[in-house]
């Protein structure tokens, strides 16, 4: 929070430059992505279906090859230094893919082995306990519920102690209680120094969890901002006044107010900050009365992160 912008590749733990991906079908899923993820942050990638979130994550994790551009993970190029880059990354995929006949313990332990890490039962036990899967350690995966299977995927992704964790829609289909538990695990990981990148459709989730938020639409990143800054924007509210008689122009006495006149002059819109020391509404209404402007109706409107998101995605189309 409040950190300077990190353009330098040295300070970004994930550095994506000029990344494009055109699938064999000819479909351009990523159209020139530049993105720097800061060490130790929780970054939420928001975007509608088909925006390119999974494609972007898959390229960074080395599952899908990029068409052009470069990606490095903690200084390791994902193409020329794949093994090292992949060894520091954990991925919780969007699709539930688990070995149905294996036990929880076996599948999570095996996953660690895939990264060439020496067996560490104590670590596997810690991870399973954190994810409330310890009592299921000897159960076959196919006997678990959907939410449990998703937690197994998280356990697998953490089995090799990655320093960067990608979570692709981790809470899709997970109940409210479990979602809270999951977020506690994610926060604990962040507190232990793990950098976290998650995708979500749930704006509240990004709002609750993220340090920064990125919005992707049609293969392009259209916004990256501190969550705190977005929330500050949320603090803005609009007061709409429907006038009794349309006015041709704003009187001079109202020039100092952040007022906008509608095209037909029938409405005035006043934008104010709900988090500021005063809204200025009382003064404004007094000044309107002094200017002889009366209104027949009024309403207030507060833009939500959802509004911002929807209008951004619309603008980008
Ligand atoms: N293997 C593929 N071949 C061709 N097109 C693909 C392939 N995988 C994805 N796409 C297309 O690329 C676009 C981006 O897909 P992607 O899965 O990255 O979106 P997403 O943002 O993760 O969406 P969702 O929110 O639904 O998970 C989509 O239009 C999709 O149809
Ligand atoms: Mg996806």
């Amino acid at each position: 929070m409040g950190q300077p912008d990190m353009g330098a590749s040295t300070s970004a733990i994930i550095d994506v430059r000029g990344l494009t991906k055109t699938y064999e079908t000819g479909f351009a899923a990523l159209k020139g992505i530049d993105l720097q993820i800061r060490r130790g942050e929780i970054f939420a990638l928001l975007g509608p279906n088909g925006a390119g979130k999974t494609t972007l994550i898959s390229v960074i994790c080395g599952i899908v090859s990029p068409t052009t551009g470069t990606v490095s993970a903690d200084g390791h190029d994902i193409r020329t230094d794949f093994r090292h880059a992949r060894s520091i990354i954990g991925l919780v995929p969007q699709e539930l893919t688990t070995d149905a006949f294996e036990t929880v313990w076996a599948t999570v332990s095996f996953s660690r082995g895939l990264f060439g890490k020496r067996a560490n039962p104590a670590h596997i036990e810690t991870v399973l306990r954190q994810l409330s899967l310890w009592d299921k350690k000897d159960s076959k995966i196919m006997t678990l519920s959907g939410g449990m299977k998703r937690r197994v995927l998280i356990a697998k992704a953490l089995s090799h102690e990655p320093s960067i964790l990608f979570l692709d829609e981790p809470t899709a289909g997970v109940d409210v209680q479990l979602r809270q538990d999951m977020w506690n695990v994610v926060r604990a990981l962040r507190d232990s120094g793990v950098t976290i990148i998650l995708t979500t459709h749930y704006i509240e989730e990004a709002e609750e969890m993220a340090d920064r938020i990125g919005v992707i639409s049609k293969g392009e990143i259209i916004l990256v901002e501190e969550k705190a800054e977005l929330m500050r924007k949320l603090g803005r509210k609009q007061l709409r006044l429907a006038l009794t008689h349309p006015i041709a122009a704003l009187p001079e006495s109202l020039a100092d107010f952040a007022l906008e006149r509608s095209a037909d002059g029938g409405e005035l819109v006043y934008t104010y900050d709900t988090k500021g020391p005063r809204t200025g509404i009382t003064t404004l209404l007094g000044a309107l009365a002094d200017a002889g402007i009366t209104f027949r109706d009024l309403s207030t409107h507060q833009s939500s992160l959802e509004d911002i998101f929807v209008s951004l995605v619309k603008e980008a189309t």
Side-chain angles (χ1 to χ4, degrees):
M1 248 148 265
Q3 298 168 36
D5 183 51
M6 292 190 183
S9 57
T10 45
S11 46
I13 193 163
I14 296 278
D15 193 5
V16 178
R17 307 245 164 188
L19 187 71
T20 67
K21 174 64 188 178
T22 302
Y23 282 108
E24 291 68 27
T25 55
F27 184 82
L30 299 177
K31 304 168 187 161
I33 303 279
D34 289 293
L35 182 64
Q36 281 74 44
I37 304 293
R38 298 171 186 166
R39 194 174 300 273
E41 74 175 341
I42 297 184
F43 186 91
L45 193 58
L46 273 171
N49 287 130
K53 302 181 293 295
T54 299
T55 302
L56 177 56
I57 285 181
S58 302
V59 171
I60 298 174
C61 295
I63 294 164
V64 166
S65 59
T67 305
T68 63
T70 59
V71 179
S72 68
D74 209 2
H76 303 280
D77 186 278
I78 55 138
R79 290 217 267 194
T80 59
D81 199 1
F82 173 74
R83 272 181 164 275
H84 197 137
R86 191 61 184 89
S87 73
I88 55 172
I89 291 176
L91 168 65
V92 182
Q94 182 170 15
E95 300 297 330
L96 287 173
T97 48
T98 44
D99 340 64
F101 299 100
E102 291 285 1
T103 65
V104 170
W105 178 269
T107 196
V108 175
S109 305
F110 178 71
S111 203
R112 179 179 172 92
L114 285 180
F115 291 95
K117 292 245 173 168
R118 192 169 309 187
N120 184 349
H123 173 67
I124 305 294
E125 176 171 347
T126 306
V127 167
L128 292 181
R129 285 192 187 278
Q130 268 183 335
L131 290 160
S132 313
L133 284 171
W134 184 242
D135 58 331
K136 296 284 176 189
K137 70 179 179 354
D138 300 317
S139 303
K140 286 202 166 70
I141 307 256
M142 62 187 188
T143 67
L144 303 180
S145 75
M148 290 171 189
K149 283 181 188 147
R150 201 162 277 286
R151 278 179 287 157
V152 170
L153 288 180
I154 299 180
K156 280 177 75 174
L158 294 175
S159 65
H160 62 291
E161 299 163 76
S163 52
I164 307 164
L165 181 66
F166 286 88
L167 297 144
D168 197 357
E169 310 275 345
T171 55
V174 171
D175 72 44
V176 178
Q177 174 61 48
L178 207 54
R179 201 173 280 181
Q180 287 302 326
D181 292 348
M182 248 161 135
W183 292 136
N184 288 334
V185 172
V186 169
R187 283 195 192 98
L189 282 168
R190 196 261 312 266
D191 293 345
S192 74
V194 177
T195 302
I196 297 175
I197 298 100
L198 59 95
T199 71
T200 179
H201 289 118
Y202 303 113
I203 288 158
E204 321 81 69
E205 200 159 271
E207 221 170 287
E208 188 180 331
M209 294 298 301
D211 300 311
R212 282 197 306 154
I213 293 178
V215 177
I216 182 169
S217 174
K218 304 203 162 158
E220 288 176 291
I221 300 270
I222 55 179
L223 167 118
V224 173
E225 196 145 41
E226 296 283 342
K227 182 187 62 184
E229 176 62 17
L230 276 175
M231 297 314 285
R232 203 184 58 74
K233 287 183 180 164
L234 288 185
R236 293 214 187 118
K237 237 174 148 170
Q238 287 188 328
L239 169 67
R240 289 176 177 276
L241 299 167
L243 304 181
T244 319
H245 306 289
I247 52 171
L250 273 179
E252 196 55 34
S253 61
L254 296 175
D256 288 344
F257 292 93
L259 267 180
E260 267 176 79
R261 197 181 63 92
S262 64
D264 64 0
E267 194 180 68
L268 291 179
V269 179
Y270 174 63
T271 305
Y272 60 100
D273 187 354
T274 53
K275 301 209 169 104
R278 57 180 65 85
T279 61
I281 290 175
T282 314
T283 328
L284 172 69
L285 295 184
L288 282 170
D290 291 345
I293 298 173
T294 56
F295 51 93
R296 54 183 169 79
D297 199 5
L298 88 177
S299 64
T300 60
H301 174 76
Q302 178 150 34
S303 57
S304 65
L305 190 49
E306 179 134 14
D307 293 334
I308 294 177
F309 176 60
V310 167
S311 63
L312 274 170
V313 169
K314 245 195 226 135
E315 264 170 37
T317 59

